[in-house]
Short mmCIF file of all heavy atoms in Angstrom, two decimals:
data_model
loop_
_atom_site.label_atom_id
_atom_site.label_comp_id
_atom_site.label_asym_id
_atom_site.label_seq_id
_atom_site.Cartn_x
_atom_site.Cartn_y
_atom_site.Cartn_z
N MET A 1007 -11.38 56.22 66.32
CA MET A 1007 -10.43 57.13 65.73
C MET A 1007 -9.71 56.53 64.55
O MET A 1007 -9.24 55.33 64.69
CB MET A 1007 -9.36 57.53 66.81
CG MET A 1007 -9.50 58.98 67.24
SD MET A 1007 -8.13 59.47 68.25
CE MET A 1007 -8.59 58.61 69.77
N PRO A 1008 -9.58 57.21 63.46
CA PRO A 1008 -8.90 56.58 62.31
C PRO A 1008 -7.40 56.51 62.51
O PRO A 1008 -6.79 57.35 63.21
CB PRO A 1008 -9.23 57.58 61.13
CG PRO A 1008 -9.63 58.86 61.83
CD PRO A 1008 -10.10 58.50 63.19
N THR A 1009 -6.81 55.59 61.85
CA THR A 1009 -5.38 55.41 61.87
C THR A 1009 -4.82 55.89 60.55
O THR A 1009 -5.33 55.56 59.48
CB THR A 1009 -4.97 53.94 62.04
OG1 THR A 1009 -5.60 53.44 63.22
CG2 THR A 1009 -3.48 53.74 62.12
N TYR A 1010 -3.83 56.77 60.62
CA TYR A 1010 -3.20 57.24 59.37
C TYR A 1010 -1.78 56.62 59.29
O TYR A 1010 -1.10 56.47 60.23
CB TYR A 1010 -3.05 58.73 59.45
CG TYR A 1010 -4.46 59.42 59.44
CD1 TYR A 1010 -5.02 59.80 60.63
CD2 TYR A 1010 -5.10 59.69 58.27
CE1 TYR A 1010 -6.28 60.37 60.70
CE2 TYR A 1010 -6.33 60.26 58.30
CZ TYR A 1010 -6.91 60.63 59.51
OH TYR A 1010 -8.14 61.21 59.53
N GLU A 1011 -1.46 56.34 57.99
CA GLU A 1011 -0.13 55.76 57.75
C GLU A 1011 0.74 56.87 57.12
O GLU A 1011 0.31 57.62 56.26
CB GLU A 1011 -0.34 54.59 56.79
CG GLU A 1011 0.86 53.59 56.84
CD GLU A 1011 0.42 52.28 56.16
OE1 GLU A 1011 0.15 52.28 54.96
OE2 GLU A 1011 0.36 51.28 56.87
N TYR A 1012 1.98 56.87 57.55
CA TYR A 1012 2.90 57.87 56.99
C TYR A 1012 4.15 57.15 56.51
O TYR A 1012 4.54 56.09 57.04
CB TYR A 1012 3.31 58.84 58.10
CG TYR A 1012 2.20 59.77 58.56
CD1 TYR A 1012 1.39 59.50 59.58
CD2 TYR A 1012 2.05 60.99 57.86
CE1 TYR A 1012 0.36 60.36 60.01
CE2 TYR A 1012 1.03 61.84 58.23
CZ TYR A 1012 0.21 61.54 59.27
OH TYR A 1012 -0.80 62.36 59.67
N ARG A 1013 4.80 57.82 55.53
CA ARG A 1013 6.06 57.28 55.04
C ARG A 1013 7.10 58.35 55.11
O ARG A 1013 6.87 59.50 54.68
CB ARG A 1013 5.91 56.73 53.63
CG ARG A 1013 7.15 56.00 53.08
CD ARG A 1013 6.86 55.32 51.81
NE ARG A 1013 6.56 56.32 50.75
CZ ARG A 1013 7.50 56.93 50.01
NH1 ARG A 1013 8.76 56.66 50.19
NH2 ARG A 1013 7.13 57.84 49.12
N CYS A 1014 8.25 58.01 55.60
CA CYS A 1014 9.38 58.94 55.66
C CYS A 1014 10.09 58.99 54.31
O CYS A 1014 10.45 57.97 53.75
CB CYS A 1014 10.36 58.47 56.76
SG CYS A 1014 11.86 59.44 56.84
N LYS A 1015 10.24 60.23 53.81
CA LYS A 1015 10.90 60.38 52.51
C LYS A 1015 12.37 60.13 52.60
O LYS A 1015 13.06 59.97 51.61
CB LYS A 1015 10.60 61.76 51.91
CG LYS A 1015 9.17 62.01 51.54
CD LYS A 1015 8.99 63.39 50.98
CE LYS A 1015 7.54 63.67 50.71
NZ LYS A 1015 7.35 65.13 50.25
N ASP A 1016 12.91 60.28 53.79
CA ASP A 1016 14.37 60.20 53.98
C ASP A 1016 14.85 58.76 54.08
O ASP A 1016 15.80 58.36 53.46
CB ASP A 1016 14.77 61.00 55.22
CG ASP A 1016 14.85 62.49 54.92
OD1 ASP A 1016 14.68 62.90 53.75
OD2 ASP A 1016 15.02 63.30 55.89
N CYS A 1017 14.17 57.97 54.93
CA CYS A 1017 14.64 56.62 55.17
C CYS A 1017 13.63 55.54 54.70
O CYS A 1017 13.95 54.37 54.76
CB CYS A 1017 14.99 56.41 56.70
SG CYS A 1017 13.55 56.29 57.76
N GLY A 1018 12.45 55.96 54.25
CA GLY A 1018 11.47 55.02 53.75
C GLY A 1018 10.71 54.28 54.78
O GLY A 1018 9.91 53.39 54.47
N ASN A 1019 10.91 54.63 56.07
CA ASN A 1019 10.21 53.98 57.10
C ASN A 1019 8.71 54.32 57.06
O ASN A 1019 8.33 55.45 56.82
CB ASN A 1019 10.73 54.52 58.48
CG ASN A 1019 10.10 53.80 59.65
OD1 ASN A 1019 9.84 52.63 59.60
ND2 ASN A 1019 9.83 54.55 60.70
N VAL A 1020 7.86 53.32 57.23
CA VAL A 1020 6.37 53.49 57.23
C VAL A 1020 5.87 53.27 58.65
O VAL A 1020 6.24 52.28 59.28
CB VAL A 1020 5.68 52.57 56.26
CG1 VAL A 1020 4.18 52.69 56.31
CG2 VAL A 1020 6.18 52.81 54.83
N PHE A 1021 5.10 54.20 59.17
CA PHE A 1021 4.56 54.08 60.50
C PHE A 1021 3.15 54.59 60.60
O PHE A 1021 2.69 55.33 59.73
CB PHE A 1021 5.47 54.83 61.51
CG PHE A 1021 5.61 56.32 61.24
CD1 PHE A 1021 4.85 57.19 61.93
CD2 PHE A 1021 6.51 56.76 60.26
CE1 PHE A 1021 4.95 58.58 61.64
CE2 PHE A 1021 6.67 58.13 60.04
CZ PHE A 1021 5.89 59.02 60.69
N ASP A 1022 2.42 54.15 61.61
CA ASP A 1022 1.02 54.49 61.80
C ASP A 1022 0.89 55.50 62.96
O ASP A 1022 1.64 55.50 63.92
CB ASP A 1022 0.22 53.23 62.19
CG ASP A 1022 0.17 52.20 61.10
OD1 ASP A 1022 0.17 52.61 59.95
OD2 ASP A 1022 0.13 51.05 61.43
N ARG A 1023 -0.12 56.38 62.81
CA ARG A 1023 -0.48 57.29 63.87
C ARG A 1023 -1.98 57.30 63.97
O ARG A 1023 -2.69 57.26 62.98
CB ARG A 1023 0.01 58.71 63.57
CG ARG A 1023 1.41 58.99 64.07
CD ARG A 1023 1.89 60.32 63.56
NE ARG A 1023 0.95 61.42 63.92
CZ ARG A 1023 1.11 62.19 65.00
NH1 ARG A 1023 2.14 62.07 65.75
NH2 ARG A 1023 0.30 63.15 65.26
N VAL A 1024 -2.47 57.30 65.20
CA VAL A 1024 -3.94 57.43 65.45
C VAL A 1024 -4.23 58.92 65.73
O VAL A 1024 -3.66 59.46 66.67
CB VAL A 1024 -4.35 56.57 66.60
CG1 VAL A 1024 -5.87 56.74 66.83
CG2 VAL A 1024 -4.06 55.10 66.30
N GLU A 1025 -5.09 59.51 64.90
CA GLU A 1025 -5.35 60.97 65.01
C GLU A 1025 -6.82 61.25 64.86
O GLU A 1025 -7.51 60.63 64.05
CB GLU A 1025 -4.54 61.70 63.97
CG GLU A 1025 -3.05 61.60 64.10
CD GLU A 1025 -2.35 62.13 62.88
OE1 GLU A 1025 -3.03 62.38 61.82
OE2 GLU A 1025 -1.15 62.31 62.87
N HIS A 1026 -7.25 62.28 65.52
CA HIS A 1026 -8.54 62.84 65.15
C HIS A 1026 -8.43 63.55 63.77
O HIS A 1026 -7.39 63.91 63.37
CB HIS A 1026 -8.99 63.89 66.18
CG HIS A 1026 -9.44 63.30 67.51
ND1 HIS A 1026 -10.59 62.60 67.67
CD2 HIS A 1026 -8.81 63.33 68.71
CE1 HIS A 1026 -10.67 62.20 68.93
NE2 HIS A 1026 -9.67 62.61 69.61
N LEU A 1027 -9.59 63.70 63.13
CA LEU A 1027 -9.59 64.40 61.83
C LEU A 1027 -8.98 65.78 61.95
O LEU A 1027 -8.13 66.17 61.14
CB LEU A 1027 -11.00 64.47 61.27
CG LEU A 1027 -11.48 63.33 60.37
CD1 LEU A 1027 -12.90 63.57 59.88
CD2 LEU A 1027 -10.53 63.16 59.18
N ALA A 1028 -9.40 66.52 62.91
CA ALA A 1028 -8.88 67.88 63.12
C ALA A 1028 -7.38 67.89 63.42
O ALA A 1028 -6.61 68.68 62.92
CB ALA A 1028 -9.60 68.55 64.24
N GLU A 1029 -6.99 66.87 64.19
CA GLU A 1029 -5.57 66.70 64.54
C GLU A 1029 -4.79 66.39 63.34
O GLU A 1029 -3.66 66.92 63.10
CB GLU A 1029 -5.45 65.55 65.57
CG GLU A 1029 -4.29 65.56 66.46
CD GLU A 1029 -4.25 64.37 67.37
OE1 GLU A 1029 -5.26 63.67 67.50
OE2 GLU A 1029 -3.19 64.10 67.94
N HIS A 1030 -5.33 65.53 62.44
CA HIS A 1030 -4.67 65.13 61.25
C HIS A 1030 -4.33 66.29 60.33
O HIS A 1030 -3.28 66.37 59.71
CB HIS A 1030 -5.50 64.07 60.49
CG HIS A 1030 -4.88 63.53 59.27
ND1 HIS A 1030 -3.65 62.90 59.25
CD2 HIS A 1030 -5.25 63.60 57.95
CE1 HIS A 1030 -3.36 62.52 58.00
NE2 HIS A 1030 -4.31 62.98 57.19
N ALA A 1031 -5.30 67.26 60.21
CA ALA A 1031 -5.11 68.41 59.36
C ALA A 1031 -3.94 69.25 59.80
O ALA A 1031 -3.32 69.89 58.96
CB ALA A 1031 -6.40 69.18 59.36
N GLU A 1032 -3.63 69.24 61.12
CA GLU A 1032 -2.59 70.12 61.61
C GLU A 1032 -1.32 69.31 61.95
O GLU A 1032 -0.36 69.88 62.41
CB GLU A 1032 -3.11 70.77 62.93
CG GLU A 1032 -4.43 71.47 62.73
CD GLU A 1032 -4.25 72.99 62.69
OE1 GLU A 1032 -3.43 73.50 63.46
OE2 GLU A 1032 -4.91 73.60 61.87
N ALA A 1033 -1.43 68.03 61.77
CA ALA A 1033 -0.34 67.18 62.24
C ALA A 1033 0.92 67.28 61.44
O ALA A 1033 0.85 67.37 60.18
CB ALA A 1033 -0.76 65.70 62.28
N HIS A 1034 2.03 67.34 62.08
CA HIS A 1034 3.31 67.32 61.39
C HIS A 1034 4.20 66.29 62.07
O HIS A 1034 5.09 66.59 62.82
CB HIS A 1034 4.00 68.69 61.44
CG HIS A 1034 3.22 69.76 60.74
ND1 HIS A 1034 3.04 69.84 59.37
CD2 HIS A 1034 2.48 70.78 61.29
CE1 HIS A 1034 2.26 70.87 59.10
NE2 HIS A 1034 1.92 71.43 60.26
N PRO A 1035 3.92 65.03 61.80
CA PRO A 1035 4.62 63.98 62.49
C PRO A 1035 6.04 63.90 62.02
O PRO A 1035 6.41 64.29 60.94
CB PRO A 1035 3.84 62.68 62.06
CG PRO A 1035 3.19 63.04 60.78
CD PRO A 1035 2.93 64.54 60.83
N ILE A 1036 6.87 63.37 62.87
CA ILE A 1036 8.27 63.08 62.51
C ILE A 1036 8.51 61.60 62.48
O ILE A 1036 7.81 60.83 63.19
CB ILE A 1036 9.27 63.78 63.51
CG1 ILE A 1036 9.07 63.31 64.94
CG2 ILE A 1036 9.15 65.31 63.43
CD1 ILE A 1036 10.19 63.63 65.83
N CYS A 1037 9.50 61.22 61.70
CA CYS A 1037 9.80 59.79 61.57
C CYS A 1037 10.39 59.32 62.93
O CYS A 1037 11.37 59.86 63.43
CB CYS A 1037 10.86 59.64 60.47
SG CYS A 1037 11.47 57.95 60.32
N PRO A 1038 9.77 58.22 63.42
CA PRO A 1038 10.29 57.67 64.76
C PRO A 1038 11.64 57.01 64.55
O PRO A 1038 12.31 56.73 65.60
CB PRO A 1038 9.17 56.67 65.14
CG PRO A 1038 8.54 56.31 63.87
CD PRO A 1038 8.59 57.49 62.97
N LYS A 1039 12.03 56.72 63.36
CA LYS A 1039 13.27 56.01 63.12
C LYS A 1039 14.47 56.97 63.00
O LYS A 1039 15.47 56.82 63.63
CB LYS A 1039 13.13 55.20 61.89
CG LYS A 1039 14.21 54.10 61.74
CD LYS A 1039 13.85 53.23 60.50
CE LYS A 1039 14.88 52.18 60.25
NZ LYS A 1039 14.58 51.41 59.03
N CYS A 1040 14.29 58.03 62.17
CA CYS A 1040 15.42 58.94 61.93
C CYS A 1040 15.09 60.37 62.32
O CYS A 1040 15.95 61.28 62.09
CB CYS A 1040 15.82 58.86 60.44
SG CYS A 1040 14.65 59.67 59.32
N GLN A 1041 13.92 60.65 62.90
CA GLN A 1041 13.48 61.96 63.38
C GLN A 1041 13.41 62.98 62.25
O GLN A 1041 13.49 64.17 62.50
CB GLN A 1041 14.45 62.47 64.50
CG GLN A 1041 14.05 62.04 65.89
CD GLN A 1041 14.32 60.52 66.09
OE1 GLN A 1041 15.43 60.07 65.82
NE2 GLN A 1041 13.35 59.79 66.54
N SER A 1042 13.27 62.53 61.03
CA SER A 1042 13.10 63.42 59.92
C SER A 1042 11.66 63.99 59.89
O SER A 1042 10.74 63.37 60.28
CB SER A 1042 13.36 62.70 58.61
OG SER A 1042 12.99 63.51 57.49
N LYS A 1043 11.60 65.25 59.40
CA LYS A 1043 10.25 65.86 59.24
C LYS A 1043 9.76 65.69 57.82
O LYS A 1043 8.69 66.15 57.46
CB LYS A 1043 10.29 67.36 59.58
CG LYS A 1043 10.47 67.58 61.10
CD LYS A 1043 10.65 69.05 61.45
CE LYS A 1043 10.85 69.22 62.95
NZ LYS A 1043 11.31 70.61 63.25
N GLN A 1044 10.56 65.05 56.95
CA GLN A 1044 10.16 64.81 55.60
C GLN A 1044 9.27 63.55 55.51
O GLN A 1044 9.66 62.50 55.06
CB GLN A 1044 11.38 64.62 54.73
CG GLN A 1044 12.34 65.82 54.73
CD GLN A 1044 11.64 67.05 54.27
OE1 GLN A 1044 10.97 67.13 53.22
NE2 GLN A 1044 11.75 68.14 55.04
N VAL A 1045 8.03 63.71 56.02
CA VAL A 1045 7.11 62.57 56.18
C VAL A 1045 5.85 62.90 55.40
O VAL A 1045 5.31 64.01 55.48
CB VAL A 1045 6.78 62.34 57.64
CG1 VAL A 1045 5.59 61.44 57.79
CG2 VAL A 1045 8.01 61.77 58.35
N GLU A 1046 5.39 61.95 54.60
CA GLU A 1046 4.17 62.16 53.82
C GLU A 1046 3.10 61.12 54.17
O GLU A 1046 3.44 59.96 54.46
CB GLU A 1046 4.47 62.10 52.31
CG GLU A 1046 5.03 60.79 51.82
CD GLU A 1046 5.36 60.78 50.36
OE1 GLU A 1046 5.28 61.82 49.73
OE2 GLU A 1046 5.68 59.70 49.86
N PRO A 1047 1.82 61.50 54.15
CA PRO A 1047 0.77 60.56 54.43
C PRO A 1047 0.57 59.59 53.33
O PRO A 1047 0.73 59.88 52.16
CB PRO A 1047 -0.51 61.45 54.55
CG PRO A 1047 -0.18 62.77 54.19
CD PRO A 1047 1.34 62.87 53.86
N VAL A 1048 0.30 58.32 53.69
CA VAL A 1048 0.02 57.23 52.76
C VAL A 1048 -1.44 56.91 52.85
O VAL A 1048 -1.94 56.62 53.93
CB VAL A 1048 0.87 55.99 53.10
CG1 VAL A 1048 0.60 54.84 52.13
CG2 VAL A 1048 2.36 56.35 53.11
N PRO A 1049 -2.15 56.92 51.70
CA PRO A 1049 -3.55 56.46 51.72
C PRO A 1049 -3.62 54.97 51.97
O PRO A 1049 -3.03 54.22 51.26
CB PRO A 1049 -4.10 56.81 50.34
CG PRO A 1049 -2.95 57.29 49.55
CD PRO A 1049 -1.70 57.29 50.35
N THR A 1050 -4.38 54.55 52.99
CA THR A 1050 -4.38 53.16 53.38
C THR A 1050 -5.64 52.49 52.90
O THR A 1050 -6.72 53.05 52.79
CB THR A 1050 -4.24 52.99 54.89
OG1 THR A 1050 -5.42 53.53 55.52
CG2 THR A 1050 -3.04 53.68 55.41
N ALA A 1051 -5.55 51.18 52.74
CA ALA A 1051 -6.72 50.38 52.33
C ALA A 1051 -7.78 50.38 53.46
O ALA A 1051 -8.96 50.41 53.17
CB ALA A 1051 -6.30 48.90 52.06
N PHE A 1052 -7.28 50.39 54.69
CA PHE A 1052 -8.15 50.42 55.82
C PHE A 1052 -9.01 51.70 55.80
O PHE A 1052 -10.25 51.64 55.97
CB PHE A 1052 -7.31 50.43 57.15
CG PHE A 1052 -8.15 50.64 58.34
CD1 PHE A 1052 -8.95 49.62 58.91
CD2 PHE A 1052 -8.16 51.88 59.02
CE1 PHE A 1052 -9.69 49.85 60.05
CE2 PHE A 1052 -8.92 52.09 60.14
CZ PHE A 1052 -9.72 51.09 60.65
N TYR A 1053 -8.42 52.78 55.46
CA TYR A 1053 -9.12 54.06 55.41
C TYR A 1053 -10.19 54.06 54.30
O TYR A 1053 -11.32 54.48 54.49
CB TYR A 1053 -8.14 55.21 55.18
CG TYR A 1053 -8.79 56.58 55.24
CD1 TYR A 1053 -9.23 57.15 56.43
CD2 TYR A 1053 -8.96 57.32 54.03
CE1 TYR A 1053 -9.88 58.32 56.43
CE2 TYR A 1053 -9.60 58.52 54.05
CZ TYR A 1053 -10.01 59.07 55.27
OH TYR A 1053 -10.67 60.26 55.29
N ALA A 1054 -9.80 53.58 53.12
CA ALA A 1054 -10.73 53.51 52.04
C ALA A 1054 -11.94 52.63 52.33
O ALA A 1054 -13.05 52.94 51.98
CB ALA A 1054 -10.00 53.01 50.77
N LYS A 1055 -11.64 51.51 53.02
CA LYS A 1055 -12.69 50.58 53.39
C LYS A 1055 -13.74 51.22 54.29
O LYS A 1055 -14.91 51.14 54.09
CB LYS A 1055 -12.06 49.35 54.01
CG LYS A 1055 -12.84 48.08 53.77
CD LYS A 1055 -12.28 46.91 54.56
CE LYS A 1055 -10.91 46.48 54.04
NZ LYS A 1055 -10.31 45.50 54.94
N THR A 1056 -13.24 51.93 55.32
CA THR A 1056 -14.14 52.49 56.28
C THR A 1056 -14.92 53.65 55.64
O THR A 1056 -16.11 53.89 56.00
CB THR A 1056 -13.40 53.02 57.55
OG1 THR A 1056 -12.34 53.86 57.11
CG2 THR A 1056 -12.83 51.92 58.35
N ALA A 1057 -14.28 54.41 54.72
CA ALA A 1057 -14.93 55.55 54.07
C ALA A 1057 -16.04 55.10 53.17
O ALA A 1057 -17.04 55.81 52.93
CB ALA A 1057 -13.90 56.34 53.31
N ARG A 1058 -15.92 53.90 52.64
CA ARG A 1058 -16.88 53.44 51.66
C ARG A 1058 -18.04 52.64 52.30
O ARG A 1058 -18.93 52.11 51.64
CB ARG A 1058 -16.15 52.52 50.63
CG ARG A 1058 -16.78 52.67 49.21
CD ARG A 1058 -15.93 51.91 48.20
NE ARG A 1058 -14.71 52.62 47.91
CZ ARG A 1058 -13.57 52.05 47.49
NH1 ARG A 1058 -13.55 50.76 47.34
NH2 ARG A 1058 -12.49 52.78 47.28
N LYS A 1059 -17.99 52.47 53.62
CA LYS A 1059 -18.99 51.77 54.33
C LYS A 1059 -20.43 52.25 54.03
O LYS A 1059 -20.69 53.43 54.13
CB LYS A 1059 -18.70 51.82 55.83
CG LYS A 1059 -19.53 50.83 56.65
CD LYS A 1059 -19.00 50.69 58.06
CE LYS A 1059 -18.83 52.01 58.79
NZ LYS A 1059 -18.27 51.83 60.11
N SER A 1060 -21.35 51.38 53.61
CA SER A 1060 -22.74 51.83 53.29
C SER A 1060 -23.72 51.14 54.12
O SER A 1060 -23.57 49.96 54.48
CB SER A 1060 -22.96 51.54 51.78
OG SER A 1060 -22.69 50.20 51.48
ZN1 ZN B 2131 13.00 58.36 58.55
#
């Protein structure tokens, strides 16, 4: 399962979530630090590396 990284726009906290692809499309995570819903996904190096695997 891929790990997605999120960043909270309110407090700047960065956290990881493990999600299925389908789950990720519908996911609305909240910041574990301040409970804000203003959270955006961060493209990670880990994700790019696995996607480019040949
Ligand atoms: Zn936050």
Side-chain angles (χ1 to χ4, degrees):
M1007 248 188 287
T1009 304
Y1010 297 95
E1011 201 165 64
Y1012 290 93
R1013 188 170 63 85
C1014 174
K1015 291 181 185 176
D1016 282 353
C1017 73
N1019 183 41
V1020 176
F1021 58 98
D1022 294 329
R1023 270 172 57 95
V1024 178
E1025 296 168 348
H1026 287 289
L1027 269 180
E1029 204 182 346
H1030 180 61
E1032 308 255 320
H1034 299 288
I1036 59 166
C1037 175
K1039 195 173 175 184
C1040 72
Q1041 273 72 51
S1042 170
K1043 289 175 182 168
Q1044 301 302 310
V1045 167
E1046 62 181 5
V1048 177
T1050 65
F1052 172 78
Y1053 183 72
K1055 210 186 293 174
T1056 52
R1058 213 173 288 153
K1059 191 166 54 180
S1060 54

